[in-house]
Amino acid sequence: MAISTAHSLNPTYSIFNPTQTHLGFSQRQQVIYKARVRPSYVITCSAGDTIVIGLAADSGCGKSTFMRRLTSVFGGAAEPPRGGNPDSNTLISDTTTVICLDDYHSLDRTGRKEKGVTALDPRANDFDLMYEQVKALKSGVAVQKPIYNHVTGLLDPPELIKPPKILVIEGLHPMYDKRVRDLLDFSIYLDISNDVKFAWKIQRDMAERGHSLESIKASIEARKPDFDAYIDPQKQYADAVIEVLPTQLIPGDNEGKVLRVKLIMKEGVQYFSPVYLFDEGSTISWIPCGRKLTCSYPGIKFAYGPDSYFGNEVSILEMDGQFDRLDELIYVESHLSNISTKFYGEVTQQMLKHSDFPGSNNGTGLFQTIVGLKIRDLFEQISSSKAAGTLQAAKA
Amino acid sequence: SHLRVSASGPDAISEKVAESIKEAEEACAGDPVSGECVAAWDAVEELSAAASHARERSKNSDPLETYCKDNPETDECRTYDN
């Protein structure tokens, strides 16, 4: 069987002049990108092996931590493209490329201020270009993707993105546009409740100069209508939702330190079988604290059971509380089934490897790690079924 | 007037965050639900997130490891697998 790769026929993208002024050019620039995306590459027989994962969450809700856990499951460190724009949002590892969908902003920061729209607004994003480039990458074609610079608020000259084995698109709108949504092999939504979001942003911003409780509150309040209208509805399409809520173990607590985290997994998704606790399909409440697991106040409580979510049948696994000693997580891991590990203790090992990441002692880290393993499993199943398909075609 | 070492360093972004908050407060003084006000607070969020990511990056750099990247042949940096 012949093996070939995608080649660049014409790697010249010199239309963009980096010395030109950035002011007020966003509309014009967009047209230039579109015009030169496609014709420069040929699709060859290795094309179409890329699987695409979508991760949706609001700003400051732990997307980057999730991404670091996910790329770690696949091995190798994820790093920004070498020698490129130092403010690039892309992360590349051996198997995985993560692109930030802010790069598809059609309006830069000044443009949004002039028009009076937020980055959450679909009018500030170019879904046509997003669709074209994700589709191209999925079918094995490299693209010149724009870079949205979060520091300057401007659209920088584009960077070359080659089709990886696994493409992760993360940002505010991975499931907003139906065309993009249909390209996704798996989708995840990080759903942070308002109380927890507020607590996290206080932790993140209070030390920052100029910020006060009022400014943090005002920023959340101002963005909320657009968030509710355009971002939140995407969770109905997600294959897995990680919901983060205040704990129920401490009455009246909303500090956001102890968390109740739910992993909501859609049933009947191809290549994805939900995790379960003890007995698949039953409803179970489990307090593991006792002789085998050290828990100080307020302890740990697990729950598992079938449910319905936006009219879909789902399985929900829930963890409330936090671990005191991470190595004892092995006790919890040994009671979970269908976690797609390659060896006994892999979840615990992954968690220990990144014990410094936020959420490592509670359900956010645990469920993010498990979702990472499920994605690895999905990738392996899709790859092997494609290989089998090619073999069949070759025999025929 | 200000000394800017790096455009994306944590200090430079901190300054921008503070500026953007002032702008947002001014933009909202007239009409608290105008598009202008909402967009200004959105810019604050974007810069605060960028500042937090920059802090994270600079915090994670161990001085010895940073030194060893540039000077792998020195006594304190040499490591042999076996």
Side-chain angles (χ1 to χ4, degrees), chain B residues 23-37 41:
Chain B
E23 277 173 36
E25 281 164 352
E26 281 162 23
C28 297
D31 183 0
V33 284
S34 65
E36 198 194 343
C37 163
W41 278 120

Side-chain angles (χ1 to χ4, degrees), chain A residues 103-122:
Chain A
D103 291 336
Y104 294 107
H105 282 338
S106 56
L107 298 171
D108 60 14
R109 197 179 289 152
T110 319
R112 292 195 300 270
K113 273 192 185 162
E114 279 165 5
K115 291 231 162 69
V117 295
T118 67
L120 310 165
D121 196 306

